[in-house]
Amino acid sequence: MRFTFLSLFPHLLRGYFEDSILKRAIERNLIEVEFIDFRDFATNRYKKVDNFQVSGGAGLVICSDVLNSAIEAIKMQDSHIIYLTPVAKQFNQNDAKRLAKSHRHIIFICGRYEGIDERVVEAFVDEVFSIGDYILTGGELASLVGCDSVARNIPQVLGNEESLFGESFENNLLEAPVFTKNHTKNDKKLQKNANLSVPLEYSKGNHGKIKAFKNELSLRKTKYFRPDMYQNYHK
């Protein structure tokens, strides 16, 4: 899988791939990432990439000609172009799994200021996503969220493939609480508070009962934190 980021600030993105799971995935040739500054495609003397809105209003918009040139230069026949914007449908786990299976090259367009010229979206973009109902200063963080979520669903990227099973959002439920095996003798707060002890059911050795207990906790957690998901689970 190849991920390409179109951004005015590529240096904001590079550091995320220099450690941990995604770094190892790059080293093992499971994924490839590239960062392209679309300012390099500006043709004016000052490398200006934005302009005022036609209708007036505060904020500048990324010009269509610059993005058009950048996209035409990098897209391939199998490229899938994604634009992150707060006015789109919310990105979810099913989207991540689908994209990981169905595409070999994903291009993320990272907007800035008031966004990009809408004509670029209509002419080139295959899908638009939002990561939440809030506004960021640019699309770089949102594109990293999308990339990370898709990449971890690519075979062999995670060290243990079983990590993909039983996660939150599978079957409209949140994942049950998890605990470490290490002792708490050095943690005085945990020692004094019996309510913070690990549930005994987790360590009884009966895998069937453990699974049933975790499922019950998963239901309770979902009902408390995400009643919308809980209602969908019971439909």
Side-chain angles (χ1 to χ4, degrees):
M1 172 76 80
R2 181 182 179 191
F3 297 99
T4 301
F5 296 85
L6 278 177
S7 169
L8 275 177
F9 306 103
H11 62 280
L12 295 178
L13 298 157
R14 290 191 179 94
Y16 192 75
F17 299 91
E18 295 177 356
D19 287 289
S20 192
I21 291 172
L22 296 187
K23 178 186 179 182
R24 293 193 293 270
I26 293 171
E27 293 172 344
R28 296 166 60 197
N29 295 317
L30 297 174
I31 67 171
E32 178 184 351
V33 294
E34 63 177 345
F35 313 96
I36 296 176
D37 187 344
F38 54 76
R39 192 184 298 276
D40 294 338
F41 294 86
T43 57
N44 60 80
R45 178 180 179 183
Y46 300 102
K47 293 292 182 180
K48 184 176 174 61
V49 298
D50 51 25
N51 209 333
F52 297 102
Q53 303 177 49
V54 172
S55 59
L60 299 170
V61 176
I62 303 298
C63 298
S64 60
D65 60 335
V66 176
L67 282 175
N68 289 351
S69 298
I71 293 170
E72 291 284 10
I74 64 173
K75 76 170 184 175
M76 300 179 292
Q77 187 173 1
D78 61 347
S79 297
H80 191 73
I81 302 176
I82 294 175
Y83 175 51
L84 286 307
T85 169
V87 300
K89 81 173 276 290
Q90 191 156 312
F91 183 78
N92 60 43
Q93 181 69 3
N94 288 332
D95 293 316
K97 292 191 291 186
R98 171 177 55 82
L99 291 168
K101 291 180 180 179
S102 58
H103 299 289
R104 300 295 299 167
H105 181 213
I106 293 178
I107 298 173
F108 290 105
I109 299 177
C110 305
R112 277 277 157 175
Y113 316 126
E114 286 300 304
I116 68 175
D117 190 307
E118 187 69 20
R119 290 171 291 184
V120 176
V121 179
E122 296 296 330
F124 292 102
V125 173
D126 297 299
E127 288 191 83
V128 290
F129 290 114
S130 167
I131 62 167
D133 295 338
Y134 48 87
I135 309 299
L136 299 172
T137 56
E140 285 78 15
L141 283 174
S143 67
L144 287 176
V145 168
C147 177
D148 186 295
S149 186
V150 172
R152 68 190 303 279
N153 282 282
I154 296 172
Q156 302 180 49
V157 167
L158 295 183
N160 186 347
E161 294 296 312
E162 293 184 6
S163 298
L164 290 172
F165 300 101
E167 293 187 311
S168 291
F169 310 111
E170 299 292 334
N171 302 317
N172 284 312
L173 292 176
L174 298 179
E175 187 175 0
V178 294
F179 306 90
T180 57
K181 285 186 175 180
N182 60 301
H183 298 293
T184 59
K185 61 182 179 180
N186 295 323
D187 194 322
K188 295 180 180 179
K189 185 173 183 179
L190 293 182
Q191 282 183 320
K192 292 179 179 180
N193 194 333
N195 292 328
L196 296 179
S197 60
V198 177
L200 293 177
E201 287 82 358
Y202 271 57
S203 55
K204 286 184 176 179
N206 187 318
H207 295 291
K209 289 185 177 180
I210 292 174
K211 183 178 180 180
F213 182 69
K214 283 188 172 183
N215 186 65
E216 177 61 28
L217 292 184
S218 180
L219 282 167
R220 294 184 184 184
K221 193 173 183 180
T222 306
K223 184 177 182 180
Y224 184 82
F225 287 107
R226 291 292 301 274
D228 57 322
M229 287 176 56
Y230 184 78
Q231 289 179 354
N232 289 330
Y233 175 79
H234 285 286
K235 283 184 179 179

